[in-house]
Amino acid sequence: MIKVSPSILSADFGNLERDICGLAAAGADYVHVDIMDGHFVPNLSMGFPVVNALRRITDMTLDVHLMIDRPIRYVERFCQAGANILTIHVEADTEENTLEALRKIQACGVKPAICVKPKTPAEAVLPYLDLCDLILVMTVEPGFGGQSFMQDMMPKVQKIRQYINERKPDCELEVDGGVNAATAKICVEAGANVLVAGSAYFKAADHAQFVRELKANG
Ligand code: DX5
Ligand code: ZN
């Protein structure tokens, strides 16, 4: 089954509660929350108070994507704030610290996940796969919504799908960046089962129809 995880980076922050309630009504599965620190990516977004507020507004799965340096420093606080899936980047720290951060997330009862930027090869997920409930493949350079989909990431999605099928069949495979009805189909064909969509979701005139279109690709 294909799942849709709208990224609230493109939501109306003046009407966040309205937009969040709209996600469940539209049939979305997760709420994708992009956390940026101005170091790992050249942009700032939101932090603990927003995750906390989201937790009070909705029972939906909070799919929190940390684009921050050395996430081990903060993973427990994001778990306490209400994340259900917590994703950290392989590029953000040493292998030892990344493993330790994933274990900390798991110990909090939250699903650990790992993310790879476009220039990072598929093999980079291998040391972490056994610990992860989700692998996230970036289909744009992280940092901003509204960028163009990088179709050349599809061989990487296929390769990671193969690793997952061989070693951790329950692990989900998510793509993030430039996903719309057309590119979603390409991602699903390559093996993704969770689709993040920010600008395309929030720009759609009919959100429920948009979610249906994305899911129809599965
Ligand atoms: C980018 C973020 C994405 C972003 C996706 O760094 O990780 O989640 O919000 O936005 P779209 O779907 O507009 O590319
Ligand atoms: Zn994201």
Side-chain angles (χ1 to χ4, degrees), residues 130-172:
D130 293 339
L131 265 169
C132 288
D133 289 298
L134 179 146
I135 308 283
L136 173 54
V137 176
M138 291 307 302
T139 42
V140 297
E141 283 296 339
F144 301 90
Q147 303 181 77
S148 299
F149 178 73
M150 297 169 74
Q151 188 158 351
D152 53 338
M153 293 300 113
M154 293 307 101
K156 181 155 76 181
V157 173
Q158 286 169 350
K159 214 165 175 183
I160 295 177
R161 167 50 66 195
Q162 230 175 336
Y163 297 151
I164 288 175
N165 287 352
E166 285 162 12
R167 284 178 44 181
K168 193 112 194 300
D170 289 343
C171 184
E172 300 203 284

Side-chain angles (χ1 to χ4, degrees), residues 7 9-10 32 34 36 65 67 138 140-147 176-179 196-200:
S7 164
L9 199 58
S10 297
H32 188 82
D34 289 303
M36 304 181 185
H65 176 194
M67 286 163 273
M138 291 307 302
V140 297
E141 283 296 339
F144 301 90
Q147 303 181 77
D176 182 7
V179 176
V196 176
S199 48

Side-chain angles (χ1 to χ4, degrees), residues 1 13 25 42 83 96 101 180 190:
M1 195 194 93
F13 279 77
E96 189 188 358
N180 55 37

